[in-house]
Amino acid sequence: GIPPFAGFFGKYYIFKSAIEAGYLWLTIVGVISSIISVYFYLRLTVYMYFRETGDYKTNEELPKAASSALLITVVFVILLGLFPSYLIDLTKLFV
């Protein structure tokens, strides 16, 4: 996560709690992992916006199964983002 977004503050509070609980080594591993992941995210951004495009096929259609799977996962992600309490209630049934 990057400031001022939620991912940054989520990591911040997790790292802060780990330090307070005495897991300094785990926090160091987490921070190093976050720094390494920044490289991959920024590299993707550079390729998306700052590199010349090649001869890529952009009008290629997805197979029906892939389109269906993509549609189902998108719908579930949106529904879980809008109504997370249903998933939380469902997990309480199995715990």
Side-chain angles (χ1 to χ4, degrees):
I2 53 175
F5 300 113
F8 172 78
F9 287 106
K11 284 182 184 178
Y12 170 76
Y13 288 122
I14 287 174
F15 293 155
K16 181 180 173 191
S17 298
I19 290 171
E20 290 173 356
Y23 292 107
L24 180 63
W25 66 272
L26 187 60
T27 305
I28 292 170
V29 170
V31 169
I32 291 171
S33 298
S34 295
I35 291 169
I36 292 170
S37 69
V38 166
Y39 167 76
F40 291 104
Y41 292 130
L42 288 179
R43 193 174 109 194
L44 177 64
T45 305
V46 166
Y47 277 106
M48 284 172 48
Y49 295 110
F50 301 111
R51 300 282 178 155
E52 291 295 321
T53 58
D55 292 329
Y56 301 112
K57 295 180 182 178
T58 56
N59 295 331
E60 198 173 304
E61 278 196 40
L62 288 174
K64 297 284 185 198
S67 297
S68 300
L70 183 62
L71 179 66
I72 290 169
T73 55
V74 166
V75 168
F76 275 111
V77 166
I78 291 172
L79 287 175
L80 289 175
L82 293 174
F83 308 106
S85 61
Y86 292 117
L87 180 64
I88 293 169
D89 293 340
L90 183 66
T91 57
K92 288 180 182 177
L93 292 175
F94 297 105
V95 175

